[in-house]
Amino acid sequence: MKRMRLKPLKPSQILIIAFIDQLAITMSQQGLSILSEAFKNYAHLGVTQMGILFATVALGAVVGMIPAGLALDRYGVKTIAFVSGASILIIMLLLAALLPKTFVPLIVLLALVGFFLPALFLTGATAITKMYAGSPNEGMAIGLRQAATPLGGILAASLFPLLVKSWSLQLVLVLIALSAGGWTMLFGGVLKAPSKRAKQPARSAAHSMNVPQLKRQLIFLKNPLLVSFLLSPGQYALLTYAILDLHDRWHIHMTIAGPIIALALLGGFIARIYLGKLSDHGIAIPRLLMWTAALGLLSLILWALVPSVTPEWMLLFIFIGLGAGLDGWNALLTNWVAQITTEKERGMALGLIGMSGFIGIVLFLPLFGLMIRIFSSYRPAWLLLALIYFLGIGVIRQSVSKTVEIHP
C-alpha cells in the first residue's frame, strides 16, 4: 500500500501560517512586557528592577541571535522551527510552573526565554524572504508577515490584563507557551524539506563562517545595524513603560491602558503593511524608514511634553503616531536586509540585525527606568528616547543620500 503524500502548500498559504505563527510568537515576546504590571506586583519589583528584568529578556536574545542565525544557515528553517518551538514550549511551561517571587531566579528564567526567542522569529523571516525573493510582491509579503508583530501585541495588550485578573499570571504564561511553541512547530511541519543538493551548500557556508567573514558582514551591514540598534528600544519602551506611564501619570486603569497600547500597535500594524506596499512601488526603503522614524520622533516629543490637563481622547491620536513610528519600521528593515544579502547568508544577516536591536534594548531599558527614578517623572526618559530616534534619522539620511547617488 502506497503512502499518501500531502499536496505541498502554496506560498500564499505558507505566508498565512507564518503570519499566525508570528502572531503567537509576539504574544509570547511582547506579552511578557504587557504583563509588566503583573510581574511588578507579583514579585514586588521597583521601576528600575522592571527595566533590568525585561532588559534581561533582550540580553538573552542578544546571546541567542548569532547561534540562531548560524543554525538556520546550516540546518535549515524546517529543523530549527521544530527545535526552537519545542524549546520555548518547555521553558515557558517551566517559568509558569515555578514563577519565583525572588528577583534573581526570575531573571534566569526570563533570560532563557530570551535566548530561544530569536530562533522563533528568525525562522519565519528567513523562510518568507527566501520564498518571495525577487517577487513583485516581496515587500508586501514581508510587510504582511511582520505586521503580525504589532497585531500580536494588540491581542496581548487587549487580552492579557483582563486574563491576569480573571485567571492568574501562571495560566496566562501557560497559554503563551502552548501558543508560541505549538504554532512554530506547525510552521516547521508545513515547510518543504530541503533537497540533499540544497542542504550541502548551506552547511558548508555556515561551517566555513570565520571571524574575517563575520567582520566583513558587520561592515557591509553597518547602517542597517545602527538603525536597528537606535530604533529598537522604542518598541520595548512603548510596551513596557507606556502602559505604566498611563497608569502612574494619567491615573488610567490598567484595563483601559491595555487597549490604548493596543490602539498604538494597530498604528504599527497598518504602517508595516502600507510601507511594504510602498516599497513594492519603487520607493527606496531608507527613505520610507526615515519618514517612519520622523513620525516616531514627533510623537515622542508630543507625548513627553503634553500637559496633564489634556483630554484623554486626544492621547489616542498621539498613541497611534507612537505605534506607527516606534513599531512600524521593523518590516522595512527586514526587507532592506533581504535586498542587500544573498540567500546563503540571510539567516546570519537577520541574526546580526536582531542582535544589534536587542543590544540597544538591553542598554536602554534600565537607563529609562533609572531616569524615571531620578527625576520622578517619565517625561525626561521619553525625551531621551526622542534624542536617540533623532540620531537614528541621521544614520538613515546617509543611506538615503547613497541611494540617490546610485539611482539619480
Side-chain angles (χ1 to χ4, degrees):
M1 191 174 171
K2 286 187 180 179
R3 219 167 106 192
M4 239 176 105
R5 285 191 178 180
L6 294 174
K7 190 178 177 182
L9 296 182
K10 297 177 183 177
S12 58
Q13 293 171 320
I14 294 176
L15 178 60
I16 292 169
I17 296 173
F19 178 88
I20 299 171
D21 177 38
Q22 183 59 32
L23 198 72
I25 294 167
T26 303
M27 292 182 75
S28 171
Q29 181 190 7
Q30 298 188 4
L32 290 173
S33 297
I34 295 294
L35 292 169
S36 58
E37 182 69 12
F39 276 103
K40 183 182 176 185
N41 294 335
Y42 181 84
H44 306 290
L45 303 174
V47 176
T48 306
Q49 285 179 310
M50 285 291 297
I52 295 170
L53 187 67
F54 288 101
T56 302
V57 181
L59 181 61
V62 169
V63 177
M65 273 291 176
I66 297 300
L70 285 169
L72 277 166
D73 287 337
R74 181 167 186 177
Y75 299 108
V77 177
K78 190 177 182 71
T79 300
I80 301 306
F82 277 116
V83 172
S84 61
S87 299
I88 206 71
L89 176 65
I90 293 167
I91 294 165
M92 285 296 297
L93 287 175
L94 188 64
L95 174 64
L98 298 178
L99 199 57
K101 288 190 176 181
T102 49
F103 189 58
V104 174
L106 196 56
I107 271 187
V108 172
L109 284 169
L110 285 174
L112 283 172
V113 171
F115 178 81
F116 285 99
L117 277 174
L120 265 69
F121 53 75
L122 282 179
T123 51
T126 304
I128 297 304
T129 53
K130 286 182 178 181
M131 195 177 301
Y132 282 87
S135 164
N137 298 317
E138 181 180 3
M140 188 68 175
I142 294 172
L144 182 62
R145 187 264 174 187
Q146 296 296 94
T149 298
L151 186 58
I154 290 169
L155 291 174
S158 302
L159 296 175
F160 287 174
L162 297 172
L163 290 177
V164 165
K165 284 187 174 294
S166 56
W167 294 0
S168 67
L169 182 56
Q170 286 95 333
L171 282 176
V172 174
L173 291 173
V174 169
L175 175 65
I176 290 172
L178 294 173
S179 180
W183 275 105
T184 301
M185 292 170 75
L186 177 63
F187 177 63
V190 301
L191 290 173
K192 184 181 177 182
S195 64
K196 291 182 180 179
R197 288 183 182 179
K199 278 182 183 177
Q200 189 57 38
R203 284 174 180 266
S204 58
H207 183 71
S208 62
M209 177 66 72
N210 52 39
V211 173
Q213 285 176 316
L214 183 59
K215 187 177 177 182
R216 282 196 298 273
Q217 200 165 29
L218 285 169
I219 294 169
F220 179 66
L221 294 169
K222 181 185 71 173
N223 281 356
L225 286 166
L226 282 171
V227 170
S228 181
F229 175 78
L230 292 168
L231 300 192
S232 290
Q235 294 175 291
Y236 276 75
L238 178 66
L239 290 168
T240 306
Y241 285 110
I243 195 166
L244 296 174
D245 193 5
L246 284 167
H247 181 263
D248 296 345
R249 179 161 48 127
W250 296 87
H251 308 293
I252 294 174
H253 196 272
M254 295 302 292
T255 53
I256 303 298
I260 291 175
I261 299 299
L263 181 67
L265 294 173
L266 178 62
F269 173 78
I270 295 169
R272 291 188 187 211
I273 295 175
Y274 183 65
L275 291 168
K277 188 176 180 181
L278 289 178
S279 71
D280 284 336
H281 282 79
I283 301 178
I285 289 176
R287 191 175 297 280
L288 292 172
L289 270 169
M290 190 168 67
W291 294 348
T292 311
L295 176 60
L297 172 64
L298 176 62
S299 302
L300 282 167
I301 293 171
L302 284 173
W303 177 235
L305 300 180
V306 67
S308 55
V309 294
T310 306
E312 290 180 7
W313 64 267
M314 290 187 68
L315 300 181
L316 302 181
F317 292 100
I318 297 175
F319 267 82
I320 292 173
L322 282 169
L326 303 187
D327 197 63
W329 56 270
N330 189 280
L332 288 172
L333 190 61
T334 302
N335 199 359
W336 192 10
V337 173
Q339 287 184 0
I340 62 176
T341 57
T342 65
E343 283 191 21
K344 288 182 181 179
E345 60 189 9
R346 188 71 44 76
M348 187 63 181
L350 289 171
L352 288 169
I353 293 296
M355 184 185 72
S356 176
F358 278 114
I359 290 172
I361 294 162
V362 168
L363 294 176
F364 181 75
L365 280 188
L367 179 61
F368 196 103
L370 185 61
M371 287 191 71
I372 296 168
R373 185 175 177 180
I374 291 171
F375 294 100
S376 299
S377 171
Y378 287 84
R379 295 181 191 272
W382 292 120
L383 287 173
L384 175 62
L385 185 57
L387 176 62
I388 292 170
Y389 263 62
F390 180 75
L391 295 174
I393 290 170
V395 174
I396 298 167
R397 275 185 66 86
Q398 292 180 0
S399 299
V400 171
S401 302
K402 287 178 183 177
T403 305
V404 171
E405 287 173 12
I406 296 169
H407 304 287

